[in-house]
Each structure stands twice: as C-alpha cells, then as structure tokens.
Amino acid sequence: MTETIPDHRPDGLTAAEVAELTASGRTNAFVQDSSRSVWSIVRANVLTLFNAIILACFLVLLAIGRWQDALFGFSAIANAVIGTVQEYRAKRALDKLALLNAPSARVLRDGAEAEVAVGAVVLGDTLVLRAGDQVAADAVTLDGDGLQLDESMLTGESDPVEKAPGDRVLSGSIVVGGEGSAVVDRVGADSFANSLAAEAKRFSLVASELRSSINRVLKWVTWFIGPVALLVLNAQMIAQGGWVEASQSGAWRDAAVATIASVVAMVPLGLVLMTSITFAVGAVKLARQQVLVQELPAVEGLARVDLICLDKTGTLTQGDIVFDAAHPLTERPGWERVLAWYGVQNDANATARSLVGRFTEQPAGSPVDRVAFSSARKWSAVTFDDGMWVLGGPEMVFPARAAGDAVLEGLAAQAAQLAATGSRTLVLAHGTPTHDETVPADAVPVVLLTFRENIRPDAAETLAYFAAQGVGVRIISGDNPQTVAAIARGVGLDAPHGFDARELPEDQDALIRVLDENIVFGRVTPDQKKRIVVALKTAGHTVAMTGDGVNDALAIKEADIGVAMNSGAAATKAVARLVLLDGKFSHLPSVVAEGRQVIANIERVSMLFLTKTAYATFLAIAFGILLLPFPFLPRQLSVTDGLTIGIPAFFLALLPNAQRYVPGFLRRSLSFAVPAGVVVTVGLAAYARLAANMAIPEAEIRTGSTLILTIIGLWILVVLSRPVTRFKGAVIGAMMIGLVLVYTVPIVRDFLQLVDPTLPTALLVLATSVLSIALIEIVRFAHRRIAVRDVERALNAREARRQRAAEALSAK
C-alpha cells in the first residue's frame, strides 16, 4: 500500500498533524520483542516431540485403567509448567529492562527539535541526523553537511555511503559522519530494517555447546524409541504366554504397561527443563546486576571465551575526554577561534566538545566549506576566509613525514612523546583550501592539542581477573597506538608499545601472527576491527568484543559474544548479546562466573539424566533380547527418578560453581553416562535372571529391582556431587530419607506395589548393589582421567598456537 506523505515544511510537522497520523496508525510502532513471545515459550516447553510421546503413553495407561502408573504424565506437566513460568519470568525481566533502555529518535516538530521514542515517529516526520545516530525509519534526505551513513548491517557494504539531498536513508543504518535531515516516507513494518526481520534479532539462539549437544542426544533418542519399544513389547507379550494367549487373557495390559515404563524412562525430559531453567535464572540474576542478556545462551557464551577484545574509550576509560593543553608549533593567528567553532557544532564528538570550556571566542564569519569527520580518514576540516583548517591525528593529517622538514619532524617527535604518557593528541593544521576532501599539500601544523581520558577505576581489577583465568586480551582502538599502549600499561597490561593498524598485513596468516605477538593496536578502522575479530576466530579462539561506539558495531556483531555499554550508540547495543546497563566493565567477571556456573552445573546434571537414558535404553534392549519381564512399573520408575535425579538435579543446577570451561561437554558426559548405564543394566539383568531362576515372585523381583536402582542412583548422585559440601550433603540426605519413607510408609508402599523382600532377595539386592557401586567408582575414576586429559589437551593446544605464532614470526 502506498502511503500519502504530508508536504514537508522547514519547521516539520505540527502537533495536530502528528496526532492525526498517530490516530490513523501511520507510526513507526513495530512489535519486535527483546525476547521470545509468550506463545514461543509455551510452544518450546509444551509442544515437543517428547511431550507428545509422554502424552500418548499417558493416554494409553488411562484408557486401560492403569492411572496409578500414569504419574509420569503429571511430572511432565509439572516440567512444562515450571519451564514455561521460569522463562516467562525471565522474559518479563528482560523486556522491562529493554523498555527502560529503548532508543529514541530526534525529530523536528513545530519548528523545534524533540526527542521521541522510535515507535512515536510518524510518516512525514523530519529526522534530524547526527554522528552516532541510528536512523529510526526509512526516509529521503532533505539536506546534509558531509552526511555519511554506515549501511553495513543492512547491505553488507562496510564502506560509509555519502548522502546527498534526495538520496534514500534506510532504517537501521548509522550516521558515521556529518549531519543532515530527512523526511520519513516508510514506517513500522514497511521500513527496510523491519522487512528484513530486524538484523539484530533478539533472543535468537546463539551458538551454544550445551543446547546443540542436548539436541543431538534428543535426536538420537528419537531414532531409538520406536524400535526399542517394539522389541520390549514383543518380549513382554511372549513373557505373558505369547501374543495370542496374552491378547485373549487380557495380559496384554501388563505387557503394555511394561513397554510404556521402558519408553518413558528413555526420555531425558528433565535435562531440557534444567537447561532452560538454568539459562533463565542466570539471565535474571545478571539483570539484577544491570547486565541485560539479550540472548539467553549468551550466559553460557562468555564463559567459553578465551580471548577478549576491548575498545579503549568507554571500556578501559570512562569516555569523558578532558582538554589538557595546547602546544603551539607555528605562528598563525585565529586558531583559538577555529577550535571554539569546532567545540559548538551539532555533530561535535566528545573530543571536540571538550574544547568549549577553554576556547570561547567564535570566528567573525561563517564557514565557506567543511569536511565532516570520518572514522576512516580520522580528520575533519573547515574553510574560512583565511584558509582551510584541518583537525585530526598528527599521523593521519601528515602521513608522509618529509625528511628534513624541521616542523614536521618536531611535530612527530613531540606527538610521540606526549602519546607515550597516555595523552591523546590532535593537530590543527592550516593550508590552502582543497575541493576533493584531501589535506592541502601546503598544510602547516599550527598547534598540537593534548587530551586526557579518565581510566575506569574497575578496569585494572577486571583485567587482572581475566589474566588469572587464562583469558587473553587485545586492545583495539582508533586512537594513537602509543597513547593506547600507555593507558594499557596504566591498567596493568604488559604493553611496551602499540602496533599501528595501518601496517597490518593483508594476508590472513600474517595478520594472525601479528595479533599473537601484540596486545595493543591503534589507528584501527571499523573494518579492521572486524577483520581482527574474524582472524582471531579463524585461529581457533572464542572471541568476545566490547565497545560502545558506532565503529565497534561490526566487530561486536562478528564476535562470538558481543558486549556493549549502555552509553553507546543504539546500533551497537542492538547487535550486542550482552549490554552493560550501567556501563561498568567490572560486571564482566560476574557474567563469566555465571556462565561457568551454568556450564559446569549442566554438565554435572546432564550426567545424571544421560545415565538414566543410557540404562533405560540398555535395559529395554537387554530384557527384550532375553525375553524377561520388564522389572519395573512406570510408577516405580517415577519415584526412583524423582529421588535420584529430578529433585536433586534442580538444586545442583543452581549451585555456585567456578570450574573453568573446557571444550567437549557432550563427550565427557557420555564417557560417564554410557559406562554407568552399562553397569546398572548388567546389575539389574543379572539380578532379574538369578531371581527368576530362584522362582522369586514377580512382585518381589520388581521390589528388589526398584531398591537396587534407587541405591545405585543415589550413589551416582553422591559421586557426581563430589566434593560433597554441607548443602549437597543435605540434599543427598533428604533423598535417602525419602527412600526410607517410600519403603516404610504403608500407603506409599502399597501404592507402588512394593513388598517385603525375603532373605534370598535381600542378599541378591545387597550383592548386586555393592558390586555395582564398586564398578561405578571405577567408571568415575576413568571419567576423571578423561576430564583431566581434556584440560591438558586444551592447555597444550593453546600453548602450541602461541609457539607456532612465535616461530613463524621469528622465521619472518
């Protein structure tokens, strides 16, 4: 549908026009949740393949009148409800934070500028665009003064695009230079960014080793359930006298119950639930610390990071630029007034604005021409009647230092000396005006300016934490490399010098060698920041990138985990997976700690659930092949699972855990779960065969099997809980008390069809339990050796990368 755009006027829309357009729905309002919708949360927790299997089994048991064995159905319902409630609570917390920190747009209405919510922009509004702004809606440029837009997040083109009057500007693009205005011609769902389904999609599932590993297990179980169920059903029908006799006598009901018991035990429902709950709880805990988690698996992500890239401004420093001093180089009147002009411009950055307090007298005339600042060239210029004044980094304004030119040599030496102290340096030069946005060939440096940045008080402590945790650090900044190196030394980094990014090699392997050898990089362009992140990922690192500027957006988006400061540009926050709402760099250790807790606890919990899946699968296959009656009722397995896995797993998943991340989560989990499952299967199968040979009644065999499984399950819980703290001991003790109550409370024992074991059964249970516990200890010993080898392998791989980089650099 083609919208009718109101005629544009220099003073913008009137309040009455805005009200009319809002009432007719022609606003930029677009529902893009910062987290999943309620329906998607319900669907993920309820409408799953495994819930469908559980529901089918539940309905079958109800249909044949065995509701007592359908307890697992209520357990599955409880799991779905708990998972949905936990994720919904996390969604509400994240949505509330996102709403409080929603971006705004600058518009011209009734002849005055106004800040309005992005959703309140209406068709025909005049957007006022300045450096650092994100374009709120599609518009057509009215006027511009060096207006440059970065459309990389929309088009993939990394170079800034110059915008002239009549050119289209797209929502989601970022103003990186100059200023201008544009009239909105497409809003809401019709805008370019929204039509692409929001480039910075929130709550998308980032790369998560936990989720991908669990999904892999679920896929395997899906393939096994059907054939195993048929195998068990055949065995149970034969155990009941054969298919014909069982069908005629009604014994098929017992066969169906036994088959359902085996199938339900194979489904690791609780593992999915625990993972969702742990992610959600972690996100809410971080939200209380002013860390907005825009994608829940990002809680896990930062814990896997082994190298973090930091932008200097706003991360190591507070971002408040303070003018320090002026160092005249050449006599040229009027430079103070030019600096005063720079300080009061609408598109002035923090550095230029810091000049206002020192330089107040404005030039007499208006500028003849100007060149807006560009992050690529790192200088800007203004032309008055007396010539062209260029303000920028000394090495950028005068990249080729003429040998024998005393003034330029003096400038270079003095700038290097000041930069080495941590001061930021700019030079103001004067020359004959040019018309192609180049520095005049006859430009002469007039005055060298120094600025200071206040180092964040928490920066040194935070970097020390990362160093202690074995996380490498790279400082990449657009400022002078020696200035950045001085600041890096001020926060405790071993950075004797900074590397000038203009000398970065184009070859990927050579770039990786340089990145391994150096810590600090200066004069880095936005595209180079992205290249650095890509190169580090290619070298095998898991990379985090922090920053707050528009020039950090590409690198933050490319990194495995992007972290933005809330004080940064809206576009930077949109592509980040974590946003530090109060801008405190010191929150990152908390995020790492929370992520490590999630990974370590889920790994421990997964071994519980996967052990159950393993022994359930092996039991079904073994009893199916041996044609033995399945030794459990579904209700007995429900109680066993609750005491040995479900209830304790809930507590274990949320305990503090500072264990470092080591790749190979699924392999380590299965290296314990599969052998432990074999031990449980062999023990129960041997017990069932011996008991059957001794003509022990079926009810007594089931009682003994339930007791054996509960004892072994509790011991596995003890093994995986080591070291056993007071809290863990209380949880394990409570489960043991629960076991005693199950066998001693008459109403519970009768409901579960448990009987008092005779002496032969008791001796078989004792012998089987002791032997199985001994084998579980051996499995755990071997598993710990595997875990230690994984740690050694990870450390050796990291050291090998460093050695290869050093050898390659030496050879070069």
Side-chain angles (χ1 to χ4, degrees):
M1 186 176 87
T2 304
E3 297 278 12
T4 303
I5 304 172
D7 294 334
H8 171 70
R9 295 186 301 276
D11 57 354
L13 298 177
T14 64
E17 288 173 326
V18 171
E20 181 182 350
L21 289 164
T22 302
S24 63
R26 288 180 287 180
T27 71
N28 201 40
F30 178 73
V31 178
Q32 179 67 44
D33 286 340
S34 62
S35 56
R36 290 194 289 181
S37 66
V38 174
W39 167 242
S40 69
I41 291 175
V42 172
R43 186 176 61 228
N45 285 279
V46 178
L47 303 181
T48 66
L49 173 63
F50 290 103
N51 278 352
I53 294 172
I54 295 298
L55 178 62
C57 294
F58 179 76
L59 294 176
V60 169
L61 290 176
L62 291 183
I64 63 177
R66 298 290 289 269
W67 62 267
Q68 302 94 331
D69 289 310
L71 292 179
F72 61 83
F74 298 104
S75 175
I77 293 172
N79 285 351
V81 171
I82 291 171
T84 301
V85 170
Q86 287 284 359
E87 291 202 41
Y88 178 69
R89 289 178 61 188
K91 166 191 165 58
R92 287 186 60 188
L94 300 183
D95 284 352
K96 183 177 179 181
L97 286 173
L99 180 63
L100 292 175
N101 294 275
S104 59
R106 192 182 298 106
V107 296
L108 185 66
R109 291 177 180 175
D110 289 321
E113 288 185 15
E115 292 272 350
V116 301
V118 169
V121 173
V122 299
L123 196 69
D125 252 331
T126 300
L127 298 176
V128 179
L129 305 175
R130 294 179 187 141
D133 290 348
Q134 185 176 33
V135 180
D138 291 5
V140 176
T141 307
L142 296 172
D143 57 65
D145 189 359
L147 184 64
Q148 292 183 321
L149 267 65
D150 177 5
E151 298 178 343
S152 58
M153 282 184 286
L154 301 173
T155 65
E157 176 57 54
S158 60
D159 294 330
V161 180
E162 298 277 354
K163 295 296 182 180
D167 288 345
R168 173 168 292 282
V169 294
L170 301 175
S171 56
S173 55
I174 307 140
V175 181
V176 294
E179 60 180 341
S181 62
V183 60
V184 175
D185 67 343
R186 286 194 302 207
V187 293
D190 294 330
S191 66
F192 186 78
N194 291 335
S195 67
L196 288 179
E199 177 75 10
K201 183 181 180 183
R202 301 179 189 268
F203 212 101
S204 60
L205 297 181
V206 299
S208 166
E209 184 180 0
L210 292 183
R211 286 206 163 171
S212 61
S213 298
I214 291 170
N215 288 338
R216 201 176 313 154
V217 171
L218 296 180
K219 186 181 295 184
W220 294 339
V221 173
T222 302
W223 284 101
F224 274 112
I225 280 181
V228 170
L230 292 176
L231 180 65
V232 174
L233 179 61
N234 178 67
Q236 301 316 299
M237 293 293 281
I238 293 176
Q240 296 296 334
W243 283 84
V244 175
E245 183 177 340
S247 300
Q248 293 175 348
S249 66
W252 64 268
R253 291 181 174 84
D254 293 330
V257 170
T259 302
I260 289 173
S262 67
V263 169
V264 170
M266 292 173 59
V267 180
L269 282 173
L271 182 55
V272 179
L273 172 69
M274 285 298 116
T275 305
S276 298
I277 289 178
T278 307
F279 277 147
V281 170
V284 172
K285 285 167 64 178
L286 290 174
R288 293 180 186 141
Q289 301 179 48
Q290 296 297 298
V291 178
L292 175 60
V293 181
Q294 304 203 109
E295 303 176 38
L296 288 191
V299 176
E300 165 204 346
L302 196 57
R304 294 189 284 111
V305 166
D306 65 350
L307 195 147
I308 184 168
C309 296
L310 308 173
D311 177 53
K312 174 182 67 66
T313 305
T315 304
L316 295 183
T317 63
Q318 293 180 342
D320 52 343
I321 308 296
V322 180
F323 177 73
D324 180 40
H327 308 271
L329 301 169
T330 305
E331 186 64 32
R332 171 70 63 176
W335 61 268
E336 295 95 338
R337 290 190 292 275
V338 172
L339 293 177
W341 178 89
Y342 268 108
V344 299
Q345 299 309 299
N346 288 333
D347 60 345
N349 56 25
T351 304
R353 288 195 299 271
S354 70
L355 298 169
V356 173
R358 176 68 179 274
F359 304 101
T360 58
E361 185 181 355
Q362 293 291 319
S366 299
V368 176
D369 195 9
R370 67 174 296 191
V371 178
F373 176 81
S374 164
S375 58
R377 56 174 173 262
K378 298 190 183 301
W379 58 264
S380 60
V382 60
T383 301
F384 289 98
D385 292 336
D386 62 346
M388 183 176 181
W389 296 87
V390 182
L391 179 65
E395 68 275 28
M396 306 303 289
V397 177
F398 299 102
R401 298 166 183 164
D405 189 321
V407 175
L408 291 183
E409 288 180 351
L411 168 66
Q414 190 172 3
Q417 183 180 2
L418 291 169
T421 67
S423 296
R424 185 177 182 181
T425 60
L426 292 179
V427 67
L428 181 67
H430 181 271
T432 304
T434 62
H435 303 287
D436 55 357
E437 295 190 356
T438 58
V439 176
D442 60 352
V444 175
V446 176
V447 60
L448 186 64
L449 308 170
T450 54
F451 304 82
R452 290 181 290 104
E453 293 184 72
N454 294 323
I455 295 177
R456 288 182 176 271
D458 55 1
E461 182 180 353
T462 304
L463 290 177
Y465 169 84
F466 282 121
Q469 299 298 318
V471 178
V473 175
R474 296 294 181 272
I475 312 297
I476 51 180
S477 172
D479 292 335
N480 182 287
Q482 305 316 318
T483 300
V484 183
I487 292 175
R489 291 192 295 271
V491 294
L493 292 178
D494 182 16
H497 62 273
F499 190 93
D500 195 320
R502 292 172 297 175
E503 300 174 9
L504 285 176
E506 291 297 324
D507 178 69
Q508 181 88 323
D509 293 335
L511 176 60
I512 292 173
R513 289 196 296 269
V514 171
L515 294 174
D516 280 334
E517 184 68 19
N518 296 275
I519 293 178
V520 173
F521 298 85
R523 296 306 179 200
V524 185
T525 65
D527 188 58
Q528 285 178 319
K529 287 187 178 183
K530 179 181 176 181
R531 278 192 62 217
I532 287 173
V533 170
V534 171
L536 291 171
K537 289 171 64 177
T538 302
H541 294 287
T542 303
V543 182
M545 172 72 196
T546 72
D548 66 345
V550 171
N551 61 336
D552 300 319
L554 290 173
I556 284 177
K557 180 184 174 185
E558 187 64 38
D560 294 291
I561 295 293
V563 183
M565 304 296 174
N566 195 45
S567 57
T572 307
K573 291 184 288 185
V575 298
R577 287 165 181 164
L578 299 171
V579 179
L580 306 182
L581 296 176
D582 56 5
K584 290 183 178 179
F585 183 48
S586 57
H587 287 315
L588 288 185
S590 298
V591 179
V592 172
E594 191 64 40
R596 287 182 173 175
Q597 175 178 316
V598 167
I599 292 175
N601 286 342
I602 289 298
E603 182 167 336
R604 175 184 290 154
V605 167
S606 72
M607 285 189 277
L608 283 173
F609 284 103
L610 294 180
T611 298
K612 188 200 84 165
T613 296
Y615 71 63
T617 304
F618 295 150
L619 278 173
I621 294 173
F623 279 75
I625 293 175
L626 296 174
L627 301 179
L628 288 172
F630 197 71
F632 302 101
L633 294 174
R635 70 189 84 172
Q636 294 168 343
L637 284 177
S638 296
V639 172
T640 302
D641 289 350
L643 289 175
T644 62
I645 301 174
I647 297 173
F650 183 82
F651 294 100
L652 294 178
L654 303 178
L655 283 177
N657 196 325
Q659 179 181 318
R660 291 191 186 182
Y661 165 76
V662 179
F665 153 74
L666 183 58
R667 187 176 69 86
R668 283 193 305 277
S669 295
L670 292 178
S671 68
F672 176 84
V674 172
V678 171
V679 169
V680 175
T681 301
V682 171
L684 286 171
Y687 162 79
R689 172 61 74 184
L690 289 172
N693 291 340
M694 296 168 63
I696 294 174
E698 186 176 354
E700 197 171 336
I701 292 177
R702 285 176 175 168
T703 299
S705 297
T706 304
L707 189 56
I708 291 171
L709 183 59
T710 309
I711 293 172
I712 299 175
L714 285 174
W715 193 260
I716 290 173
L717 176 63
V718 171
V719 166
L720 295 179
S721 298
R722 293 171 183 162
V724 179
T725 62
R726 185 175 301 175
F727 180 79
K728 293 177 186 175
V731 172
I732 295 170
M735 297 305 103
M736 290 181 176
I737 293 172
L739 171 62
V740 173
L741 293 175
V742 163
Y743 281 87
T744 57
V745 176
I747 188 172
V748 178
R749 188 176 61 181
D750 293 343
F751 177 77
L752 295 176
Q753 294 188 12
L754 301 176
V755 298
D756 291 330
T758 59
L759 181 60
T761 300
L763 291 176
L764 274 178
V765 168
L766 179 62
T768 304
S769 300
V770 170
L771 288 174
S772 298
I773 286 173
L775 291 173
I776 290 295
E777 288 291 345
I778 295 173
V779 169
R780 180 56 170 168
F781 177 78
H783 174 261
R784 292 185 68 85
R785 295 293 298 270
I786 292 173
V788 169
R789 284 200 298 269
D790 276 0
V791 173
E792 293 175 349
R793 190 180 296 112
L795 293 175
N796 292 337
R798 185 183 303 172
E799 185 60 29
R801 283 198 302 267
R802 291 175 180 172
Q803 289 181 358
R804 285 196 301 270
E807 291 170 0
L809 195 63
S810 299
K812 183 179 177 182

